[in-house]
Amino acid sequence: MTLSGKTRVAAVLGWPISHSLSPRLHNYWLKENRIDGVYIPLAVNPDNIANVVKLLPHLGLTGVNLTVPHKEAAMMFVDGVDSLAKRVGAINTIVIAEDGSLQGRNTDVFGFKEALNQNTGTDIIRDGTAVVIGAGGASRAVIVALLDLGAREIRIVNRTSEKAELLAASWGPILRPVLWEERNEALSGASFLVNTTTLGMENMPPLDLTLDALPKNAVVNDIVYRPLLTPLLCAAKERGNSVVDGLWMLLQQGRPGFAAWFGCDPAVTPKLREHVLEMA
Ligand code: ATR
């Protein structure tokens, strides 16, 4: 790769940033599509996020991704946000227009839907019951996607029940908060189960969930991708449920940003998964 004054530069801002797989993802796409561009990780302390976002137009960057813990805060410092980002309450992508204005977008909703599309399809969501474990930022993007896909009921299970109740109150009666103690029974009659917490991630305890009540034709999804097959997905697979791992969503959410910055919609392929996994 030869960098020049013409090379377009995109970045991911996070704190910490060393574990981010996004540079590996976007630089693969840049090379594959023979684009004169580079994508770099930038460690930005939360105390500095306002200043860094405001500086972006002056640095000549084409755009950035935002990861933990900046997705909500960065929203306050951009010039506009799309309707999906408003519904989720977070942005993970900024497109920098030629006039220097900053457009905030949320591509996690797209990533979640496309991950399903590429694997099991989304028919299981329409008119079905979905169970969502967790009520944080990731959960909100998943809930918006499930609402868009026509879920009839969305059961929100969260350790802190107040957060699940708040989500239900803001989104209406399709959402039903479920007490953490009742999570096993909540799987009864569900066509879809997704974990949006960090439980099951490397160095974290597994999600303590008994799948006995879950119908065998339900699809199980985890947004954790380290390890690729979490204890939840292993247990689901063993009893015959279809599973969708978290790497699909991670890769798919990158597509709209890349397309806006570099003008080409990149592909999520088995080869890309292998390439990104080498580092994961
Ligand atoms: P993110 O933006 O990645 O969703 P977050 O907003 O901090 O991160 O949300 C983390 C989610 O994981 C929350 O639903 C959290 O539950 P609480 O609301 O009770 O904190 C859940 N979570 C994290 N650690 C957990 C644990 N040990 N047991 C149960 N839930 C946990």
Side-chain angles (χ1 to χ4, degrees):
M1 175 177 49
T2 313
L3 301 180
S4 77
K6 288 185 192 150
T7 304
R8 281 178 285 171
V9 182
V12 53
L13 318 182
W15 185 267
I17 198 62
S18 57
H19 291 301
S20 173
L21 296 181
S22 291
R24 204 161 167 86
L25 165 65
H26 287 275
N27 285 313
Y28 177 95
W29 279 335
L30 285 166
K31 193 170 169 206
E32 189 188 56
N33 293 287
R34 296 195 172 81
I35 293 168
D36 182 12
V38 65
Y39 184 103
I40 55 173
L42 294 176
V44 176
N45 186 297
D47 292 343
N48 299 327
I49 188 66
N51 287 333
V52 171
V53 171
K54 286 179 200 158
L55 259 181
L56 289 174
H58 310 293
L59 291 173
L61 267 67
T62 181
V64 295
N65 280 132
L66 300 151
T67 186
V68 178
H70 302 315
K71 289 186 182 189
E72 280 105 11
M75 236 177 141
M76 290 185 280
F77 312 111
V78 293
D79 300 298
V81 293
D82 68 6
S83 60
L84 266 183
K86 273 189 198 139
R87 286 168 71 202
V88 176
I91 56 174
N92 68 341
T93 302
I94 298 177
V95 178
I96 303 167
E98 276 190 13
D99 65 1
S101 64
L102 302 175
Q103 293 302 316
R105 300 186 187 177
N106 186 300
T107 69
D108 285 331
V109 177
F110 172 89
F112 174 82
K113 289 182 189 171
E114 285 302 302
L116 291 189
N117 265 330
Q118 207 171 2
N119 288 277
T120 56
T122 57
D123 287 352
I124 33 123
I125 306 294
R126 184 160 304 283
D127 296 325
T129 295
V131 178
V132 178
I133 312 286
S139 167
R140 288 205 307 273
V142 166
I143 291 168
V144 167
L146 292 172
L147 288 169
D148 283 358
L149 292 170
R152 190 190 59 217
E153 181 181 336
I154 303 173
R155 301 177 185 154
I156 313 290
V157 182
N158 198 49
R159 175 181 59 179
T160 312
S161 57
E162 291 81 7
K163 280 205 221 162
E165 282 158 19
L166 270 177
L167 287 184
S170 60
W171 266 309
I174 292 178
L175 267 72
R176 201 162 71 75
V178 176
L179 291 176
W180 187 248
E181 296 72 34
E182 288 164 15
R183 61 194 181 283
N184 296 335
E185 296 76 34
L187 304 180
S188 172
S191 61
F192 182 71
L193 164 67
V194 56
N195 171 46
T196 70
T197 73
T198 46
L199 295 169
M201 193 184 280
E202 269 168 25
N203 306 319
M204 286 288 289
L207 171 64
D208 177 13
L209 188 67
T210 305
L211 299 181
D212 294 350
L214 185 72
K216 291 273 168 64
N217 58 359
V219 171
V220 181
N221 180 205
D222 205 323
I223 65 160
V224 171
Y225 53 83
R226 271 193 189 111
L228 203 53
L229 276 183
T230 59
L232 169 68
L233 294 188
C234 285
K237 220 173 162 182
E238 205 155 286
R239 64 196 293 282
N241 291 97
S242 299
V243 302
V244 180
D245 68 61
L247 189 61
W248 291 107
M249 178 172 167
L250 176 83
L251 303 181
Q252 288 288 356
Q253 63 74 36
R255 277 175 50 206
F258 189 92
W261 305 326
F262 299 112
C264 111
D265 183 11
V268 172
T269 59
K271 211 170 138 204
L272 169 64
R273 274 173 67 88
E274 264 172 46
H275 175 78
V276 171
L277 276 174
E278 277 167 27
M279 192 188 139

